[in-house]
Amino acid sequence: MRAQIKPRINQEGRTNLEEVIPLSTPFVLFVDPASACNFRCKFCPNGDAKLIRETGRWQGNMDFNLYKKIINDLKEFNEPLKVLRLYKDGEPFLNKNFGDMVRYAKECGVAQSIDTTTNGSLLDPETVKPALDAGLDRINISLDGLSDEQFLEFAGVKVDFEKFVNNIRKLYEMKGNCEILIKIAGDFLSDEDKAKFYRIFGDYADRIFIENVAPCWPEFDVANRLGVSMDKGIYDQPVGEVMTCPYIFYSLSVNSDGTVSLCFLDWARKLIVGDLRTESLKKIWNGDRLFRYQVEHLEGKRKNDPVCGVCGQLTHCLPDNIDPYASKLLKKLRAART
């Protein structure tokens, strides 16, 4: 097997957030090329069409002119992003301009790295080649089955698994410098299935990993929908909790319609902090709405918020822990505003 057995989240060499907050430039920007998805996964709110309709959220592909405006906004910051993540809610390769999105960001030099996350169903050579040619740095593939039957059960769609595997093989052959990571949730896999996963995909990835399902979507009961206990974290670590969300201090998330969410898990659009159709990204990053959330968290009041207060990302997914530095960071944050 060529691939390293290594999770997608890098724990080594991480920046100590307590030493750099407040940041003049975010580390990570999520930009959603497409809010819709071609899968109907049980563990994802996007898979529940009725639930999404009830939110009233707009479904569709990001307009390319809006995207260019976002990238141009990034030039106003002092330095490039660490990561431009072309993914949030939907399947990014549904946007026919995806390759052009990568290319424009690369030409503008606004990020050290550009990556995406995909269900892998659209990674045929014709679709993925423009993004690879444009310099995409990493593709995270979230696998939803190991057979036609498992895809139908967990993703709610018919997938020709043999063709799916062949496309991943071709992707690996043509990837160039792009890193390929393939992961799967192991909660419903037998030992035989787990061995099959490594056997089939171990030579077509740079990283490969079996993780646990995590209840990371706020106000979406994954445990109940899947009938699992979730008594362990995403990487089998003990379940714990941090009171201060670290993500809101180093990242922002742009929805496909140009609205900006506090969090990349804001599937219901309840945490809107700006709108890039009428505001600049830098103005939003330095704005009052984001600042109020940051202060609330540093003051230990996260659980007062009905969305942030029930976030499983902070219990199951190895977030950075800045709780011990909250009072010091609060002083620094307020001082930076004067």
PDB file of all heavy atoms in Angstrom, residues 196-220:
ATOM      1  N   LYS A 196     -11.003  -4.388   3.156  1.00  0.00           N
ATOM      2  CA  LYS A 196     -11.336  -4.147   1.746  1.00  0.00           C
ATOM      3  C   LYS A 196     -11.063  -2.692   1.370  1.00  0.00           C
ATOM      4  O   LYS A 196     -10.537  -2.409   0.288  1.00  0.00           O
ATOM      5  CB  LYS A 196     -12.802  -4.494   1.509  1.00  0.00           C
ATOM      6  CG  LYS A 196     -13.288  -4.258   0.077  1.00  0.00           C
ATOM      7  CD  LYS A 196     -14.777  -4.610  -0.042  1.00  0.00           C
ATOM      8  CE  LYS A 196     -15.300  -4.364  -1.444  1.00  0.00           C
ATOM      9  NZ  LYS A 196     -16.752  -4.675  -1.558  1.00  0.00           N
ATOM     10  N   PHE A 197     -11.411  -1.773   2.263  1.00  0.00           N
ATOM     11  CA  PHE A 197     -11.177  -0.350   2.025  1.00  0.00           C
ATOM     12  C   PHE A 197      -9.702  -0.082   1.772  1.00  0.00           C
ATOM     13  O   PHE A 197      -9.331   0.573   0.786  1.00  0.00           O
ATOM     14  CB  PHE A 197     -11.678   0.451   3.220  1.00  0.00           C
ATOM     15  CG  PHE A 197     -11.267   1.898   3.223  1.00  0.00           C
ATOM     16  CD1 PHE A 197     -11.730   2.781   2.247  1.00  0.00           C
ATOM     17  CD2 PHE A 197     -10.417   2.398   4.209  1.00  0.00           C
ATOM     18  CE1 PHE A 197     -11.351   4.123   2.257  1.00  0.00           C
ATOM     19  CE2 PHE A 197     -10.044   3.728   4.229  1.00  0.00           C
ATOM     20  CZ  PHE A 197     -10.500   4.594   3.259  1.00  0.00           C
ATOM     21  N   TYR A 198      -8.839  -0.576   2.637  1.00  0.00           N
ATOM     22  CA  TYR A 198      -7.402  -0.360   2.468  1.00  0.00           C
ATOM     23  C   TYR A 198      -6.875  -1.068   1.226  1.00  0.00           C
ATOM     24  O   TYR A 198      -6.008  -0.546   0.509  1.00  0.00           O
ATOM     25  CB  TYR A 198      -6.646  -0.856   3.704  1.00  0.00           C
ATOM     26  CG  TYR A 198      -6.807   0.026   4.912  1.00  0.00           C
ATOM     27  CD1 TYR A 198      -7.317  -0.483   6.106  1.00  0.00           C
ATOM     28  CD2 TYR A 198      -6.451   1.375   4.875  1.00  0.00           C
ATOM     29  CE1 TYR A 198      -7.461   0.320   7.227  1.00  0.00           C
ATOM     30  CE2 TYR A 198      -6.601   2.189   5.986  1.00  0.00           C
ATOM     31  CZ  TYR A 198      -7.095   1.659   7.159  1.00  0.00           C
ATOM     32  OH  TYR A 198      -7.235   2.460   8.262  1.00  0.00           O
ATOM     33  N   ARG A 199      -7.421  -2.258   0.969  1.00  0.00           N
ATOM     34  CA  ARG A 199      -6.949  -3.030  -0.180  1.00  0.00           C
ATOM     35  C   ARG A 199      -7.308  -2.349  -1.501  1.00  0.00           C
ATOM     36  O   ARG A 199      -6.475  -2.269  -2.421  1.00  0.00           O
ATOM     37  CB  ARG A 199      -7.564  -4.434  -0.143  1.00  0.00           C
ATOM     38  CG  ARG A 199      -7.068  -5.346  -1.262  1.00  0.00           C
ATOM     39  CD  ARG A 199      -7.617  -6.750  -1.121  1.00  0.00           C
ATOM     40  NE  ARG A 199      -9.062  -6.832  -1.342  1.00  0.00           N
ATOM     41  CZ  ARG A 199      -9.967  -7.032  -0.388  1.00  0.00           C
ATOM     42  NH1 ARG A 199      -9.586  -7.156   0.862  1.00  0.00           N
ATOM     43  NH2 ARG A 199     -11.256  -7.104  -0.688  1.00  0.00           N
ATOM     44  N   ILE A 200      -8.527  -1.807  -1.600  1.00  0.00           N
ATOM     45  CA  ILE A 200      -8.968  -1.201  -2.857  1.00  0.00           C
ATOM     46  C   ILE A 200      -8.332   0.160  -3.083  1.00  0.00           C
ATOM     47  O   ILE A 200      -7.874   0.471  -4.192  1.00  0.00           O
ATOM     48  CB  ILE A 200     -10.509  -1.064  -2.878  1.00  0.00           C
ATOM     49  CG1 ILE A 200     -11.153  -2.447  -2.956  1.00  0.00           C
ATOM     50  CG2 ILE A 200     -10.965  -0.207  -4.065  1.00  0.00           C
ATOM     51  CD1 ILE A 200     -12.680  -2.403  -2.880  1.00  0.00           C
ATOM     52  N   PHE A 201      -8.279   0.997  -2.024  1.00  0.00           N
ATOM     53  CA  PHE A 201      -7.887   2.394  -2.215  1.00  0.00           C
ATOM     54  C   PHE A 201      -6.483   2.731  -1.714  1.00  0.00           C
ATOM     55  O   PHE A 201      -6.007   3.843  -1.939  1.00  0.00           O
ATOM     56  CB  PHE A 201      -8.905   3.316  -1.522  1.00  0.00           C
ATOM     57  CG  PHE A 201     -10.263   3.275  -2.134  1.00  0.00           C
ATOM     58  CD1 PHE A 201     -11.283   2.526  -1.549  1.00  0.00           C
ATOM     59  CD2 PHE A 201     -10.530   3.954  -3.317  1.00  0.00           C
ATOM     60  CE1 PHE A 201     -12.552   2.484  -2.120  1.00  0.00           C
ATOM     61  CE2 PHE A 201     -11.785   3.919  -3.900  1.00  0.00           C
ATOM     62  CZ  PHE A 201     -12.802   3.177  -3.300  1.00  0.00           C
ATOM     63  N   GLY A 202      -5.813   1.790  -1.075  1.00  0.00           N
ATOM     64  CA  GLY A 202      -4.502   2.080  -0.496  1.00  0.00           C
ATOM     65  C   GLY A 202      -3.432   2.476  -1.490  1.00  0.00           C
ATOM     66  O   GLY A 202      -2.487   3.193  -1.140  1.00  0.00           O
ATOM     67  N   ASP A 203      -3.586   2.049  -2.733  1.00  0.00           N
ATOM     68  CA  ASP A 203      -2.604   2.414  -3.762  1.00  0.00           C
ATOM     69  C   ASP A 203      -3.047   3.612  -4.598  1.00  0.00           C
ATOM     70  O   ASP A 203      -2.340   4.014  -5.516  1.00  0.00           O
ATOM     71  CB  ASP A 203      -2.354   1.225  -4.692  1.00  0.00           C
ATOM     72  CG  ASP A 203      -1.463   0.176  -4.048  1.00  0.00           C
ATOM     73  OD1 ASP A 203      -0.661   0.538  -3.163  1.00  0.00           O
ATOM     74  OD2 ASP A 203      -1.590  -1.015  -4.409  1.00  0.00           O
ATOM     75  N   TYR A 204      -4.213   4.181  -4.281  1.00  0.00           N
ATOM     76  CA  TYR A 204      -4.726   5.306  -5.061  1.00  0.00           C
ATOM     77  C   TYR A 204      -4.869   6.571  -4.222  1.00  0.00           C
ATOM     78  O   TYR A 204      -5.669   7.458  -4.536  1.00  0.00           O
ATOM     79  CB  TYR A 204      -6.086   4.948  -5.668  1.00  0.00           C
ATOM     80  CG  TYR A 204      -6.092   3.680  -6.479  1.00  0.00           C
ATOM     81  CD1 TYR A 204      -7.202   2.852  -6.498  1.00  0.00           C
ATOM     82  CD2 TYR A 204      -4.969   3.303  -7.224  1.00  0.00           C
ATOM     83  CE1 TYR A 204      -7.227   1.679  -7.240  1.00  0.00           C
ATOM     84  CE2 TYR A 204      -4.976   2.125  -7.964  1.00  0.00           C
ATOM     85  CZ  TYR A 204      -6.099   1.319  -7.969  1.00  0.00           C
ATOM     86  OH  TYR A 204      -6.103   0.150  -8.702  1.00  0.00           O
ATOM     87  N   ALA A 205      -4.082   6.664  -3.149  1.00  0.00           N
ATOM     88  CA  ALA A 205      -4.160   7.824  -2.267  1.00  0.00           C
ATOM     89  C   ALA A 205      -2.800   8.076  -1.632  1.00  0.00           C
ATOM     90  O   ALA A 205      -1.960   7.170  -1.544  1.00  0.00           O
ATOM     91  CB  ALA A 205      -5.209   7.604  -1.184  1.00  0.00           C
ATOM     92  N   ASP A 206      -2.588   9.325  -1.211  1.00  0.00           N
ATOM     93  CA  ASP A 206      -1.394   9.661  -0.445  1.00  0.00           C
ATOM     94  C   ASP A 206      -1.631   9.471   1.045  1.00  0.00           C
ATOM     95  O   ASP A 206      -0.722   9.145   1.803  1.00  0.00           O
ATOM     96  CB  ASP A 206      -0.987  11.116  -0.723  1.00  0.00           C
ATOM     97  CG  ASP A 206      -0.691  11.351  -2.191  1.00  0.00           C
ATOM     98  OD1 ASP A 206       0.269  10.740  -2.689  1.00  0.00           O
ATOM     99  OD2 ASP A 206      -1.424  12.114  -2.845  1.00  0.00           O
ATOM    100  N   ARG A 207      -2.893   9.721   1.464  1.00  0.00           N
ATOM    101  CA  ARG A 207      -3.322   9.459   2.837  1.00  0.00           C
ATOM    102  C   ARG A 207      -4.623   8.683   2.786  1.00  0.00           C
ATOM    103  O   ARG A 207      -5.455   8.882   1.899  1.00  0.00           O
ATOM    104  CB  ARG A 207      -3.582  10.757   3.611  1.00  0.00           C
ATOM    105  CG  ARG A 207      -2.392  11.617   3.881  1.00  0.00           C
ATOM    106  CD  ARG A 207      -2.795  12.648   4.936  1.00  0.00           C
ATOM    107  NE  ARG A 207      -1.909  13.784   4.972  1.00  0.00           N
ATOM    108  CZ  ARG A 207      -1.932  14.717   5.919  1.00  0.00           C
ATOM    109  NH1 ARG A 207      -2.823  14.636   6.886  1.00  0.00           N
ATOM    110  NH2 ARG A 207      -1.102  15.726   5.896  1.00  0.00           N
ATOM    111  N   ILE A 208      -4.814   7.828   3.780  1.00  0.00           N
ATOM    112  CA  ILE A 208      -6.042   7.046   3.837  1.00  0.00           C
ATOM    113  C   ILE A 208      -6.367   6.828   5.311  1.00  0.00           C
ATOM    114  O   ILE A 208      -5.467   6.683   6.138  1.00  0.00           O
ATOM    115  CB  ILE A 208      -5.874   5.718   3.078  1.00  0.00           C
ATOM    116  CG1 ILE A 208      -7.216   5.024   2.859  1.00  0.00           C
ATOM    117  CG2 ILE A 208      -4.866   4.792   3.756  1.00  0.00           C
ATOM    118  CD1 ILE A 208      -7.143   3.867   1.856  1.00  0.00           C
ATOM    119  N   PHE A 209      -7.667   6.852   5.642  1.00  0.00           N
ATOM    120  CA  PHE A 209      -7.996   6.732   7.059  1.00  0.00           C
ATOM    121  C   PHE A 209      -9.445   6.283   7.247  1.00  0.00           C
ATOM    122  O   PHE A 209     -10.325   6.624   6.453  1.00  0.00           O
ATOM    123  CB  PHE A 209      -7.800   8.075   7.772  1.00  0.00           C
ATOM    124  CG  PHE A 209      -7.518   7.936   9.251  1.00  0.00           C
ATOM    125  CD1 PHE A 209      -6.258   7.559   9.694  1.00  0.00           C
ATOM    126  CD2 PHE A 209      -8.512   8.165  10.186  1.00  0.00           C
ATOM    127  CE1 PHE A 209      -5.990   7.424  11.046  1.00  0.00           C
ATOM    128  CE2 PHE A 209      -8.256   8.028  11.540  1.00  0.00           C
ATOM    129  CZ  PHE A 209      -6.987   7.664  11.976  1.00  0.00           C
ATOM    130  N   ILE A 210      -9.663   5.521   8.339  1.00  0.00           N
ATOM    131  CA  ILE A 210     -11.004   5.159   8.777  1.00  0.00           C
ATOM    132  C   ILE A 210     -11.290   5.948  10.045  1.00  0.00           C
ATOM    133  O   ILE A 210     -10.565   5.848  11.031  1.00  0.00           O
ATOM    134  CB  ILE A 210     -11.119   3.648   9.057  1.00  0.00           C
ATOM    135  CG1 ILE A 210     -10.856   2.849   7.775  1.00  0.00           C
ATOM    136  CG2 ILE A 210     -12.499   3.318   9.613  1.00  0.00           C
ATOM    137  CD1 ILE A 210     -10.806   1.344   7.979  1.00  0.00           C
ATOM    138  N   GLU A 211     -12.327   6.773  10.010  1.00  0.00           N
ATOM    139  CA  GLU A 211     -12.660   7.598  11.170  1.00  0.00           C
ATOM    140  C   GLU A 211     -14.076   7.260  11.630  1.00  0.00           C
ATOM    141  O   GLU A 211     -14.776   6.465  11.007  1.00  0.00           O
ATOM    142  CB  GLU A 211     -12.539   9.083  10.833  1.00  0.00           C
ATOM    143  CG  GLU A 211     -13.421   9.551   9.696  1.00  0.00           C
ATOM    144  CD  GLU A 211     -13.188  11.011   9.319  1.00  0.00           C
ATOM    145  OE1 GLU A 211     -12.036  11.470   9.291  1.00  0.00           O
ATOM    146  OE2 GLU A 211     -14.202  11.688   9.040  1.00  0.00           O
ATOM    147  N   ASN A 212     -14.472   7.876  12.739  1.00  0.00           N
ATOM    148  CA  ASN A 212     -15.825   7.676  13.253  1.00  0.00           C
ATOM    149  C   ASN A 212     -16.738   8.811  12.791  1.00  0.00           C
ATOM    150  O   ASN A 212     -16.281   9.929  12.552  1.00  0.00           O
ATOM    151  CB  ASN A 212     -15.815   7.646  14.781  1.00  0.00           C
ATOM    152  CG  ASN A 212     -14.980   6.507  15.334  1.00  0.00           C
ATOM    153  OD1 ASN A 212     -14.946   5.426  14.762  1.00  0.00           O
ATOM    154  ND2 ASN A 212     -14.309   6.745  16.447  1.00  0.00           N
ATOM    155  N   VAL A 213     -18.013   8.534  12.682  1.00  0.00           N
ATOM    156  CA  VAL A 213     -18.998   9.589  12.446  1.00  0.00           C
ATOM    157  C   VAL A 213     -19.019  10.492  13.673  1.00  0.00           C
ATOM    158  O   VAL A 213     -18.935  10.021  14.811  1.00  0.00           O
ATOM    159  CB  VAL A 213     -20.395   9.001  12.198  1.00  0.00           C
ATOM    160  CG1 VAL A 213     -21.436  10.110  12.070  1.00  0.00           C
ATOM    161  CG2 VAL A 213     -20.396   8.149  10.936  1.00  0.00           C
ATOM    162  N   ALA A 214     -19.104  11.801  13.457  1.00  0.00           N
ATOM    163  CA  ALA A 214     -19.140  12.743  14.565  1.00  0.00           C
ATOM    164  C   ALA A 214     -20.406  13.601  14.477  1.00  0.00           C
ATOM    165  O   ALA A 214     -20.863  13.929  13.376  1.00  0.00           O
ATOM    166  CB  ALA A 214     -17.911  13.640  14.543  1.00  0.00           C
ATOM    167  N   PRO A 215     -20.965  13.995  15.613  1.00  0.00           N
ATOM    168  CA  PRO A 215     -22.194  14.796  15.615  1.00  0.00           C
ATOM    169  C   PRO A 215     -21.887  16.283  15.458  1.00  0.00           C
ATOM    170  O   PRO A 215     -22.247  17.114  16.283  1.00  0.00           O
ATOM    171  CB  PRO A 215     -22.768  14.514  17.009  1.00  0.00           C
ATOM    172  CG  PRO A 215     -21.557  14.320  17.866  1.00  0.00           C
ATOM    173  CD  PRO A 215     -20.530  13.651  16.979  1.00  0.00           C
ATOM    174  N   CYS A 216     -21.198  16.627  14.373  1.00  0.00           N
ATOM    175  CA  CYS A 216     -20.665  17.979  14.262  1.00  0.00           C
ATOM    176  C   CYS A 216     -21.673  19.000  13.760  1.00  0.00           C
ATOM    177  O   CYS A 216     -21.486  20.195  13.966  1.00  0.00           O
ATOM    178  CB  CYS A 216     -19.415  17.994  13.385  1.00  0.00           C
ATOM    179  SG  CYS A 216     -19.530  17.068  11.874  1.00  0.00           S
ATOM    180  N   TRP A 217     -22.762  18.565  13.114  1.00  0.00           N
ATOM    181  CA  TRP A 217     -23.719  19.534  12.589  1.00  0.00           C
ATOM    182  C   TRP A 217     -24.631  20.024  13.711  1.00  0.00           C
ATOM    183  O   TRP A 217     -25.380  19.230  14.284  1.00  0.00           O
ATOM    184  CB  TRP A 217     -24.581  18.913  11.484  1.00  0.00           C
ATOM    185  CG  TRP A 217     -23.819  18.349  10.345  1.00  0.00           C
ATOM    186  CD1 TRP A 217     -23.589  17.036  10.089  1.00  0.00           C
ATOM    187  CD2 TRP A 217     -23.185  19.077   9.291  1.00  0.00           C
ATOM    188  NE1 TRP A 217     -22.859  16.897   8.941  1.00  0.00           N
ATOM    189  CE2 TRP A 217     -22.586  18.149   8.431  1.00  0.00           C
ATOM    190  CE3 TRP A 217     -23.066  20.440   9.004  1.00  0.00           C
ATOM    191  CZ2 TRP A 217     -21.891  18.509   7.298  1.00  0.00           C
ATOM    192  CZ3 TRP A 217     -22.361  20.813   7.877  1.00  0.00           C
ATOM    193  CH2 TRP A 217     -21.792  19.863   7.034  1.00  0.00           C
ATOM    194  N   PRO A 218     -24.630  21.304  14.042  1.00  0.00           N
ATOM    195  CA  PRO A 218     -25.533  21.814  15.082  1.00  0.00           C
ATOM    196  C   PRO A 218     -26.994  21.619  14.702  1.00  0.00           C
ATOM    197  O   PRO A 218     -27.371  21.747  13.542  1.00  0.00           O
ATOM    198  CB  PRO A 218     -25.192  23.308  15.159  1.00  0.00           C
ATOM    199  CG  PRO A 218     -23.829  23.439  14.567  1.00  0.00           C
ATOM    200  CD  PRO A 218     -23.756  22.373  13.519  1.00  0.00           C
ATOM    201  N   GLU A 219     -27.808  21.280  15.684  1.00  0.00           N
ATOM    202  CA  GLU A 219     -29.246  21.111  15.498  1.00  0.00           C
ATOM    203  C   GLU A 219     -29.581  20.053  14.441  1.00  0.00           C
ATOM    204  O   GLU A 219     -30.586  20.149  13.734  1.00  0.00           O
ATOM    205  CB  GLU A 219     -29.912  22.452  15.135  1.00  0.00           C
ATOM    206  CG  GLU A 219     -29.694  23.527  16.202  1.00  0.00           C
ATOM    207  CD  GLU A 219     -30.401  24.827  15.885  1.00  0.00           C
ATOM    208  OE1 GLU A 219     -30.259  25.294  14.715  1.00  0.00           O
ATOM    209  OE2 GLU A 219     -31.075  25.369  16.747  1.00  0.00           O
ATOM    210  N   PHE A 220     -28.735  19.027  14.364  1.00  0.00           N
ATOM    211  CA  PHE A 220     -28.967  17.910  13.453  1.00  0.00           C
ATOM    212  C   PHE A 220     -28.494  16.650  14.178  1.00  0.00           C
ATOM    213  O   PHE A 220     -27.294  16.445  14.340  1.00  0.00           O
ATOM    214  CB  PHE A 220     -28.204  18.111  12.139  1.00  0.00           C
ATOM    215  CG  PHE A 220     -28.451  17.037  11.108  1.00  0.00           C
ATOM    216  CD1 PHE A 220     -29.592  17.065  10.323  1.00  0.00           C
ATOM    217  CD2 PHE A 220     -27.543  16.004  10.929  1.00  0.00           C
ATOM    218  CE1 PHE A 220     -29.818  16.080   9.372  1.00  0.00           C
ATOM    219  CE2 PHE A 220     -27.756  15.020   9.975  1.00  0.00           C
ATOM    220  CZ  PHE A 220     -28.892  15.049   9.194  1.00  0.00           C
TER     221      PHE A 220
END
